[in-house]
């Protein structure tokens, strides 16, 4: 079992994620190893506006508790990206399935209200080597997310 590290609700912002992604892509170019990128779009269902506004933070906290310490999560609003170093297609599928399973249940907030998430996941994997670029990973995972959105939750 892989070691997990709960980072609370802290995720990398876009600029730090970009730097870390560039580093991981360069490493995967030099020492060919698989690299996966997951993009998630969340829709929260909550009764009041206060709970809906807290949804990304609650999602981030739950997400972090189910990732490895080497995984690189980031978010912008209701969109999340997770870079999975040294993770092949089977590993990325396992992460996606685990996340779908985790977010099928309702979550309770500290004030006693509950919130449920509907998530759409797009994922891509590259085996590494010189043909890997940031743009390829981002473009393919974005396309996969768009397909997931078209299929519905």
């Amino acid at each position: 079992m892989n070691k997990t590290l709960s980072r609370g609700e802290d995720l990398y912002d876009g600029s730090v994620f970009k730097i870390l992604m560039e580093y991981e892509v360069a490493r995967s170019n030099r020492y060919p190893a698989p690299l996966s990128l997951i993009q998630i779009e969340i829709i929260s269902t909550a009764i009041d506006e206060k709970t809906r506004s807290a949804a990304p933070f609650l999602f981030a906290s739950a997400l972090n508790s189910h990732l490895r310490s080497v995984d690189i999560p980031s978010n912008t609003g209701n969109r999340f990206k997770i870079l999975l170093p040294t993770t092949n297609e089977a590993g990325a599928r396992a992460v996606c399935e685990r996340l779908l399973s985790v977010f099928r249940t309702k979550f309770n907030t500290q004030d006693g209200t509950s919130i449920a998430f509907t998530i759409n996941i797009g994922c891509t994997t590259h085996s590494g080597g010189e043909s890997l670029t940031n743009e390829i990973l981002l473009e393919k995972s974005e396309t996969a997310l768009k397909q997931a959105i078209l299929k519905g939750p």
Side-chain angles (χ1 to χ4, degrees):
M1 179 174 210
N2 293 322
K3 179 183 173 200
T4 59
L5 173 66
S6 179
R7 295 173 276 235
E9 59 189 46
D10 296 331
L11 299 178
Y12 295 107
D13 70 12
S15 59
V16 174
F17 180 81
K18 182 179 177 185
I19 292 168
L20 293 172
M21 185 172 177
E22 288 172 359
Y23 171 80
E24 290 296 336
V25 166
R27 186 168 67 153
S28 186
N29 286 157
R30 184 173 176 107
Y31 308 106
L35 190 61
S36 297
L37 179 63
I38 296 173
Q39 289 202 40
I40 302 171
E41 181 180 80
I42 66 167
I43 301 167
S44 60
T45 56
I47 295 173
D48 61 2
E49 182 59 35
K50 180 182 173 189
T51 306
R52 269 194 301 276
S53 64
F57 303 107
L58 183 60
F59 185 87
S61 181
L63 179 67
N64 272 331
S65 67
H66 291 87
L67 294 176
R68 304 172 302 174
S69 60
V70 298
D71 296 336
I72 303 168
S74 172
N75 86 302
T76 304
N78 289 341
R79 286 267 177 115
F80 293 78
K81 294 177 187 166
I82 309 163
L83 187 64
L84 305 169
T86 65
T87 304
N88 61 14
E89 182 180 348
R93 282 183 190 272
V95 171
C96 292
E97 290 297 327
R98 182 171 60 235
L99 294 177
L100 285 171
S101 174
V102 166
F103 292 105
R104 279 194 181 111
T105 61
K106 289 185 178 183
F107 291 83
N108 294 318
T109 62
Q110 291 178 346
D111 62 358
T113 59
S114 65
I115 186 168
F117 294 100
T118 301
I119 63 174
N120 293 300
I121 299 178
C123 180
T124 190
T125 300
H126 194 284
S127 59
E130 294 179 8
S131 64
L132 175 62
T133 65
N134 292 3
E135 293 78 22
I136 287 173
L137 279 178
L138 289 168
E139 184 180 306
K140 288 187 175 185
S141 64
E142 183 71 30
T143 300
L145 178 60
K146 287 178 183 177
Q147 290 175 353
I149 292 169
L150 287 174
K151 288 181 181 177

